Amino acid sequence: MQGDVAIANEELIRSKDTLQFTTGQVKKGYASQNELDASRVAAQQATLKLRGAEELLHVLQNFTFKRNIAELNANAKESERELARVRLKALSAQTQCEKEANATKLTYDVEREKLARLQTQIEACTIRAPQDGEVVYANMSNSGRRSDQPAIEAGTTVRERQAIINLPDIKQMKVDCRIHESLIGSIRKGLRARIRVDAYPDEIYFGEISHVSSVPMSGNWPNTDLREYQTEVRLTDGVDKIKRLRPGLTSQVEVLVDSRENVLQVPIQSVVTVSDKQVAFVFTGTTHERRYVKLGAANQSHLEILEGLNEGDKVIMNPRSQFSAEIAALESELNTSNSKNKVAEESNAAAASEVETPTPTPPAGGPPRESAEGAGAPRRPGGETFFARLDTNKDGFISQDEAPEMLKGRFSELDKDADGKLSREEMPASRPPQQAQPQPAP
């Protein structure tokens, strides 16, 4: 652009020279006016061209150059920032790749462990018997409860920890039974037992209790409110005899909790309880005789007789169905007698607990003092303290509501004047009358 300005300046100088030369020629008459006008126009064009070139140079130097420099500086800074962003992005991508590599390695390790575990489980799918025995599907349950668990058979889906098979050793068999809570007190480890198997009803197997559960189990459905204790009985017979048995057979167990020699016993049905007595009826040939008996130990069928019967006596079975009237009368008689004895015992106990009022001691050297009622005055029957304690309304009489339970049964008998209340004289004496003895002075 500076060259364009120089060229335009040279053209302007030539144009001016040409205009000056043409002007002199016109004055001399050697050139026409048209040539002068053309020279003048050319000079003006040169001037305008010079100004345009100078203006372009001015714009370039003062505006375009500065703008381009600022734009290039901004682009440079933006490029630097872009470089920083690219570096950060590359660093982030590198970190992400490293993390993915580590995660992939961990996944690889986990998959290898899973593969090893699956291979171990595949190997464990082969079940090996730890002992000799007979394989039995674990479908038999002694709980007696309903269960939605599918039966073990080919194709059944099983869960973890689920029993699939049992492997009983038919040479070492045991009986699982349940003992009711009312009988568990007599059961202990080591007791002998007799077992009858339904499959072999004519044979008796012998065993020994090997385990008794310490906690009860609910009864079989629907009697879930029962409490029974799981008990195991180990068979003690020979191997040849035990090998005939099969798992799951039904059996009946009889536990021998005690054994005594020369025990006098009668069937349970021959003894009845009347009030607080045990009574048996003995057939004497033409009539019967009622006897009170004292019982000892008992089992499910017989009672031990300690007193009241002799060996050879013919006892009558189910006496309540034969002598219901006699038993009812006896029960009424015994209840009445027991009530009277109870009233007498309560009266004696109340009289024994009566508090005695101590006799005051006269002062030293003084005359002997008499009691509050006077010396030699007999005490009221029944005791003043006992009567005062019962007389809650302090009217000097004992009403039927104020009388204790031991006197209510005899209230009408004690009420001699039939006025509905007891006076001090009508109260029963609790002890013989006593004289208040004066105390000698020291």
Side-chain angles (χ1 to χ4, degrees), residues 91-163:
L91 181 60
S92 176
Q94 179 183 359
T95 304
Q96 183 68 23
C97 290
E98 291 176 354
K99 290 183 178 180
E100 290 180 355
N102 293 334
T104 305
K105 186 176 182 300
L106 292 176
T107 303
Y108 170 72
D109 294 338
V110 171
E111 293 297 330
R112 286 190 60 185
E113 293 178 359
K114 183 178 179 180
L115 174 62
R117 185 170 64 254
L118 292 176
Q119 290 176 346
T120 302
Q121 291 181 357
I122 291 174
E123 294 178 358
C125 288
T126 302
I127 302 177
R128 293 177 174 83
Q131 64 182 25
D132 294 339
E134 181 178 352
V135 175
V136 179
Y137 284 147
N139 289 328
M140 295 177 297
S141 175
N142 292 327
S143 63
R145 299 181 181 178
R146 296 180 177 178
S147 176
D148 296 333
Q149 181 172 310
I152 301 299
E153 58 185 4
T156 301
T157 301
V158 295
R159 55 173 174 79
E160 185 180 3
R161 302 291 181 182
Q162 179 180 351

Side-chain angles (χ1 to χ4, degrees), residues 67-86:
R67 185 195 66 185
N68 291 340
I69 290 300
E71 183 178 355
L72 292 174
N73 287 333
N75 291 338
K77 292 181 181 179
E78 181 63 25
S79 298
E80 291 177 355
R81 288 193 293 269
E82 180 66 20
L83 177 60
R85 286 195 296 269
V86 170

